[in-house]
Amino acid sequence: MTSPPDSEANFDHKIFVKTLSPALRAELTEARDGTSLTHLTLHGLALLLMVGLVGFAAPLWPLWMLGLGILISFLFTIEHEATHHTVVSGPKLNDWIGRFCGLAILLPFEWFRYFHLAHHRHTNIPGKDPELMGGPRPDTWPAFLLHISGLPYWIAMIRALVRNASGAPLEDFVPKGAIPRIRREARVMLALYSLAGLSLIWTPFLLWVWILPALLGQPFLRLFLLAEHGHCPFVANMFENTRTTFTNRVVRYLTWNASYHVEHHTLPMVPSYNLPLLHEHMQKHLKVTSSGYVAFSVEYPKGFQTGEPAK
């Protein structure tokens, strides 16, 4: 990697990418399917273990339910990887992994793919970034508590599924050629949810091992995602509009290294297991970081008192 320009103030993510040698870029984007499949297997086995502990009311089962909820909610990070086709090298397998994860958390994969690509294209730009289309990030205690409850997320996803299935106009970020797939996906998902709802007539099993845990786990995901861009400037430079959060190995593994978020936004084609290597080359250029998710969750509400706008 060559030395960066003298003016660090003007050194942005685009210039950084140009400093990477072809050999390093090839190393960063190298696919290692065995690593991802092992990761997927461990996440799946942990889910099955928690389902067994909750389903059979093992001692301390309410705690296991919370753990199950966190594992379910963070299927989002696997679905997120699938939108970039970086879970495994096969695009079709990526898509099916993404669809399964989306089904578990009410996040339709085909629709989310285009939502997320638009987010990357217009990161933190009001009026363009779809993550900001629903309004600014929470800037008062009531808005903050409502946000992390997950309730706005569930309402938004139910509305999106109904809209996508009904034939109503879709968002501008959805290409016309993708509309039939998105319609079909939403209708299949609603049919499967209807069957799941009907099963509750005979057994509450899904209530205890899926619905309630997903509700309990969602606040942890909301706080995690809020740290990615919350209170970051509305600018195009990824070194400023995105935050990397330093955390422990367990959280990094659970979240597929998504805490290296500046790194991910700078080079979205880098698989999650190569983001630590990218971080080694980028860390001295990072402008917005946090020492941890607890620290971020404590610092974020301080902006309510100082009048700093939520971003």
Side-chain angles (χ1 to χ4, degrees):
M1 186 170 65
T2 58
S3 299
D6 293 334
S7 177
E8 185 66 26
N10 297 322
F11 189 77
D12 65 7
H13 67 286
K14 293 180 181 179
I15 297 175
F16 169 80
V17 170
K18 292 178 181 178
T19 70
L20 301 177
S21 68
L24 179 56
R25 293 191 67 165
E27 182 179 4
L28 288 168
T29 55
E30 179 185 10
R32 300 201 307 268
D33 286 359
T35 300
S36 284
L37 292 174
T38 299
H39 200 162
L40 282 169
T41 300
L42 290 174
H43 196 115
L45 290 174
L47 274 170
L48 289 175
L49 174 62
M50 292 294 182
V51 166
L53 291 171
V54 173
F56 290 98
L60 302 177
W61 67 266
L63 291 179
W64 302 128
M65 181 184 286
L66 178 60
L68 175 58
I70 291 172
L71 287 170
I72 291 172
S73 297
F74 279 89
L75 288 172
F76 169 85
T77 55
I78 304 175
E79 181 175 4
H80 163 257
E81 285 291 304
T83 66
H84 294 285
H85 283 167
T86 52
V87 178
V88 290
S89 56
K92 290 186 177 180
L93 181 55
N94 264 277
D95 289 353
W96 280 109
I97 290 170
R99 292 181 186 118
F100 172 80
C101 293
L103 182 65
I105 57 175
L106 265 70
L107 183 58
F109 175 71
E110 296 291 346
W111 173 84
F112 177 63
R113 184 205 308 272
Y114 298 106
F115 175 100
H116 189 64
L117 291 179
H119 164 63
H120 269 269
R121 192 175 298 117
H122 308 292
T123 304
N124 229 30
I125 303 301
K128 293 184 177 181
D129 185 347
E131 285 197 359
L132 299 174
M133 293 300 189
R137 295 185 175 94
D139 56 3
T140 65
W141 270 109
F144 179 70
L145 295 175
L146 179 63
H147 176 82
I148 65 173
S149 74
L151 183 60
Y153 167 79
W154 297 118
I155 292 173
M157 288 304 97
I158 291 171
R159 286 176 174 170
L161 278 171
V162 172
R163 180 186 64 245
N164 294 353
S166 68
L170 301 184
E171 298 90 339
D172 291 341
F173 57 75
V174 176
K176 291 183 179 179
I179 291 176
R181 295 198 311 274
I182 289 173
R183 301 269 190 234
R184 183 168 57 250
E185 173 188 52
R187 290 164 185 167
V188 169
M189 290 178 71
L190 288 174
L192 291 174
Y193 293 146
S194 297
L195 291 175
L198 287 173
S199 75
L200 298 177
I201 298 174
W202 292 278
T203 172
F205 183 74
L206 290 181
L207 176 67
W208 295 109
V209 303
W210 175 36
I211 299 173
L212 289 180
L215 294 174
L216 290 173
Q218 191 61 212
F220 294 89
L221 179 62
R222 290 300 107 199
L223 285 171
F224 177 83
L225 296 178
L226 186 60
E228 294 178 347
H229 305 285
H231 284 166
C232 292
F234 296 137
V235 296
N237 184 1
M238 299 298 180
F239 288 160
E240 299 181 49
N241 67 20
T242 304
R243 176 181 289 99
T244 282
T245 302
F246 303 111
T247 186
N248 59 64
R249 291 182 179 181
V250 174
V251 174
R252 289 198 301 269
Y253 199 78
L254 171 67
T255 63
W256 288 62
N257 280 328
S259 54
Y260 292 119
H261 211 61
V262 180
E263 294 80 354
H264 167 68
H265 267 265
T266 300
L267 284 172
M269 72 290 295
V270 174
S272 62
Y273 42 78
N274 287 336
L275 288 175
L277 174 61
L278 178 56
H279 173 73
E280 290 180 14
H281 293 271
M282 183 186 290
Q283 56 186 325
K284 67 180 180 181
H285 305 299
L286 298 178
K287 296 183 179 180
V288 184
T289 63
S290 179
S291 60
Y293 289 98
V294 173
F296 171 81
S297 300
V298 171
E299 286 296 320
Y300 185 89
K302 291 181 180 179
F304 309 160
Q305 300 170 355
T306 62
E308 179 185 355
K311 301 174 182 178

